[in-house]
């Protein structure tokens, strides 16, 4: 079983920064892709960024390019996904979720489709105020 636990969310003012973390335990060696999604009430979940195994490839949503950076760190059987967020804006306010794909479905153009990912964390709230 794969478990994902996010942390690092909080409240920040416009222009501020936050770093989200997502610890993946169980079958970390089987992860092909990991991603960050975000969702606000009443809207569909939006793909923010994704990273492939060994960080060979990264993808970003247009709204966060140049401001957010996705990375990962692997130690023994534990994988940690990060999302460094800078120049935060009110429209970045959302619940942020990390997701893991163990089947390869998230490769390429599918990275931003939530159905490509099997495992999800519980989410961490990010609130940006002016």
């Amino acid at each position: 079983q794969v478990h994902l636990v996010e942390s690092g969310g909080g409240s920040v003012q416009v222009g501020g920064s936050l770093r989200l973390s997502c610890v993946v335990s169980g079958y970390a060696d089987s992860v092909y892709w990991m991603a960050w999604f975000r969702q606000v009430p009443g809207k569909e979940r939006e793909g923010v960024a994704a990273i492939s195994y060994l960080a060979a490839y990264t993808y970003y949503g247009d709204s966060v390019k140049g401001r957010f950076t996705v990375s990962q760190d692997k130690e023994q059987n534990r994988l940690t996904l990060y999302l460094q967020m800078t120049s935060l804006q009110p429209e970045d306010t959302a619940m942020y979720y990390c997701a893991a794909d163990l089947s390869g479905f998230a490769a390429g153009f599918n990275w931003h489709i939530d159905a490509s990912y099997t495992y999800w964390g519980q989410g961490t709230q990010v609130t940006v105020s002016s």
Side-chain angles (χ1 to χ4, degrees):
Q1 188 66 285
V2 177
H3 295 281
L4 288 71
V5 179
E6 303 99 332
S7 62
S11 297
V12 64
Q13 291 191 326
V14 169
S17 300
L18 282 174
R19 188 174 85 152
L20 306 183
S21 300
C22 173
V23 176
V24 183
S25 57
Y27 298 99
D29 286 336
S30 301
V31 174
Y32 279 89
W33 286 86
M34 292 204 67
W36 288 99
F37 284 75
R38 65 186 182 187
Q39 189 172 27
V40 296
K43 291 191 175 181
E44 292 186 356
R45 200 151 41 183
E46 173 192 9
V48 175
I51 188 167
S52 65
Y53 179 68
L54 297 179
Y57 300 96
T58 57
Y59 293 100
Y60 294 92
D62 289 341
S63 61
V64 305
K65 279 180 183 176
R67 300 189 298 122
F68 290 11
T69 303
V70 63
S71 62
Q72 66 183 25
D73 180 60
K74 189 172 184 301
E75 185 175 344
Q76 295 183 345
N77 197 37
R78 187 161 120 161
L79 183 64
T80 304
L81 178 71
Y82 298 102
L83 185 68
Q84 179 67 50
M85 305 185 294
T86 63
S87 301
L88 283 162
Q89 302 298 315
E91 52 266 33
D92 295 316
T93 295
M95 184 71 79
Y96 283 72
Y97 299 89
C98 67
D101 164 37
L102 276 64
S103 304
F105 292 142
F109 294 119
N110 292 330
W111 77 266
H112 63 92
I113 300 174
D114 56 6
S116 300
Y117 301 86
T118 305
Y119 298 97
W120 293 82
Q122 81 288 351
T124 186
Q125 177 69 37
V126 172
T127 302
V128 184
S129 57
S130 56

